[in-house]
Amino acid sequence: MINKKILEDIGLTSGEVKVYITLLKIGESTTGKIINDAQISSGKIYEILDKLIKKGLVSFITREKTRFFKAASPNRIIDFLHEKEKTLKKK
């Protein structure tokens, strides 16, 4: 089980944590199901998903003009942390 506190400690917002954990639980999904299960406002869902995609923690495929989002494996969090570390070292 993924710990919400750890995800927040590595820099994810509370909305990003809710969406990521929801996608891990429900698997590939459209935004409607994510909004309901994560209890995120429909106005924020695409912003949150875009941020998670940029961080490499969510991906999507398009089927019949509908996007289906999927959480990356929790192992991807380690890669995210390595990338964050490299960025900090460059600064």
Side-chain angles (χ1 to χ4, degrees):
M1 179 75 183
I2 296 288
N3 185 311
K4 291 179 185 181
K5 177 78 171 109
I6 291 172
L7 292 175
E8 288 175 352
D9 287 347
I10 65 168
L12 298 183
T13 65
S14 62
E16 291 170 339
V17 170
K18 286 180 186 178
V19 170
Y20 181 70
I21 290 175
T22 297
L23 280 169
L24 284 174
K25 288 179 185 175
I26 65 176
E28 191 176 285
S29 179
T30 59
T31 55
K33 179 105 171 101
I34 299 167
I35 290 166
N36 290 335
D37 289 14
Q39 298 178 343
I40 297 291
S41 74
S42 59
K44 289 282 189 180
I45 191 66
Y46 284 105
E47 178 184 337
I48 292 169
L49 287 167
D50 285 343
K51 287 179 182 179
L52 289 169
I53 289 168
K54 287 178 183 170
K55 292 175 181 177
L57 298 176
V58 169
S59 62
F60 70 91
I61 60 168
T62 305
R63 281 192 226 129
E64 299 177 21
K65 299 180 183 179
T66 302
R67 283 187 178 183
F68 290 83
F69 297 89
K70 182 178 180 180
S73 163
N75 292 332
R76 174 66 184 106
I77 294 169
I78 295 168
D79 295 335
F80 170 71
L81 288 174
H82 287 303
E83 290 168 12
K84 196 171 182 178
E85 179 183 25
K86 285 180 189 176
T87 303
L88 289 173
K89 282 182 180 179
K90 285 181 183 177
K91 289 182 180 182

